[in-house]
Amino acid sequence: MNSLATIEKEIKRCKKCELWRSKTNYVPGEGSEKADVVFIGEAPGREEDLQGKPFVGNAGKLLTEMIEKIGLSRKDVFIGNVLKCRPPNNRDPLPEEIEACSPYLIRQLEVIEPEIIVCLGRFSASFIFELFGLEFTSISRVKGRVFKVKAWGKDVSIIALYHPAAILYRPQLREKYEMDFAIIGSLIGKNEKVKKMTNSTLFDYLD
Ligand code: URA
Ligand code: SF4
């Protein structure tokens, strides 16, 4: 039977790629099985590897702040990654690692059936876009745009954003990043600032 707990148990004994050897802890992801919004990163970093939890380092602090700004908390959403083990020195994921690990993420999504999938960074975005039959060009082209797909018999919105670590390196992007998160807030109807925007303003922005 599929539940987040059973998937987590399987992840914690996984040896399907070589990354299990060098990791400290598996990082299956965490949050609500009933989450409307799922955030997907690339792979655990140093702090995540040490704690066994997703997005708990500096990038994670920024992500948590953004989630709270749109009126949600970490436990309302689900936060996961494409890879569940940290690549040595945070190197980019290899195609074979993504292939080996991504079935866990797909099963997690099938359990949660979220309304909104937020891809953080290009590895997450290119994987999710392909999974849902969307064309992925580059993160800078697709970022902040809402793509509607049908999944689990309902409308699902897919949004790609820069990885929060990229915003830590380029603080000048932060204001725009907050606007991108406000879009997520508007989709769940919780963001007063965006709700006050006229539809045409929002449309211009989305364009
Ligand atoms: N970066 C990611 O992509 N995922 C994490 O969990 C932490 C940092
Ligand atoms: Fe298994 Fe994924 Fe870890 Fe590889 S990265 S060992 S596939 S859990």
Side-chain angles (χ1 to χ4, degrees):
M1 198 195 70
N2 253 357
S3 73
L4 291 183
T6 52
I7 299 165
E8 182 166 331
K9 268 192 208 145
E10 284 179 47
I11 290 168
K12 286 180 171 170
R13 51 172 195 259
C14 179
K15 296 180 177 175
K16 289 203 289 174
C17 81
E18 291 298 305
L19 290 178
W20 71 275
R21 292 181 194 278
S22 50
K23 58 114 189 57
T24 314
N25 286 294
Y26 291 99
V27 183
E30 68 180 9
S32 168
E33 199 146 316
K34 297 193 171 70
D36 288 335
V37 192
V38 167
F39 293 89
I40 303 169
E42 176 177 320
R46 201 175 90 93
E47 198 58 38
E48 292 76 23
D49 176 64
L50 291 173
Q51 294 189 35
K53 293 182 176 165
F55 282 101
V56 288
N58 287 331
K61 279 190 197 122
L62 176 58
L63 175 64
T64 306
E65 212 180 293
M66 293 292 133
I67 289 172
E68 287 170 358
K69 263 189 196 253
I70 58 171
L72 294 171
S73 75
R74 282 178 68 112
K75 57 178 172 26
D76 298 323
V77 301
F78 182 85
I79 303 176
N81 283 299
V82 178
L83 296 188
K84 314 306 189 191
C85 300
R86 181 195 185 200
N89 299 315
N90 299 348
R91 66 154 168 74
D92 287 347
L94 300 174
E96 60 265 32
E97 292 161 356
I98 295 176
E99 197 182 324
C101 205
S102 55
Y104 296 123
L105 175 62
I106 293 170
R107 285 169 59 201
Q108 288 170 323
L109 291 172
E110 283 168 355
V111 168
I112 300 167
E113 299 189 349
E115 315 274 331
I116 303 169
I117 300 174
V118 184
C119 315
L120 301 168
R122 75 191 158 97
F123 280 98
S124 164
S126 64
F127 175 76
I128 291 292
F129 272 52
E130 192 185 334
L131 184 66
F132 288 94
L134 299 168
E135 191 193 357
F136 180 77
T137 43
S138 70
I139 187 79
S140 56
R141 282 196 183 190
V142 300
K143 84 167 167 47
R145 292 174 56 194
V146 181
F147 293 85
K148 298 269 187 197
V149 297
K150 283 264 182 226
W152 313 298
K154 62 183 181 183
D155 289 326
V156 176
S157 300
I158 297 182
I159 308 169
L161 299 182
Y162 284 136
H163 194 285
I167 308 303
L168 295 177
Y169 283 111
R170 291 191 281 170
Q172 70 274 19
L173 296 179
R174 180 167 173 141
E175 208 176 318
K176 193 77 181 7
Y177 205 51
E178 290 190 14
M179 287 301 289
D180 290 337
F181 271 81
I183 300 263
I184 302 165
S186 79
L187 291 173
I188 52 169
K190 284 206 176 184
N191 191 284
E192 292 306 319
K193 201 159 116 196
V194 173
K195 262 203 278 186
K196 278 191 206 127
M197 281 180 171
T198 65
N199 277 340
S200 67
T201 319
L202 187 57
F203 187 74
D204 285 345
Y205 179 72
L206 286 167
D207 244 16

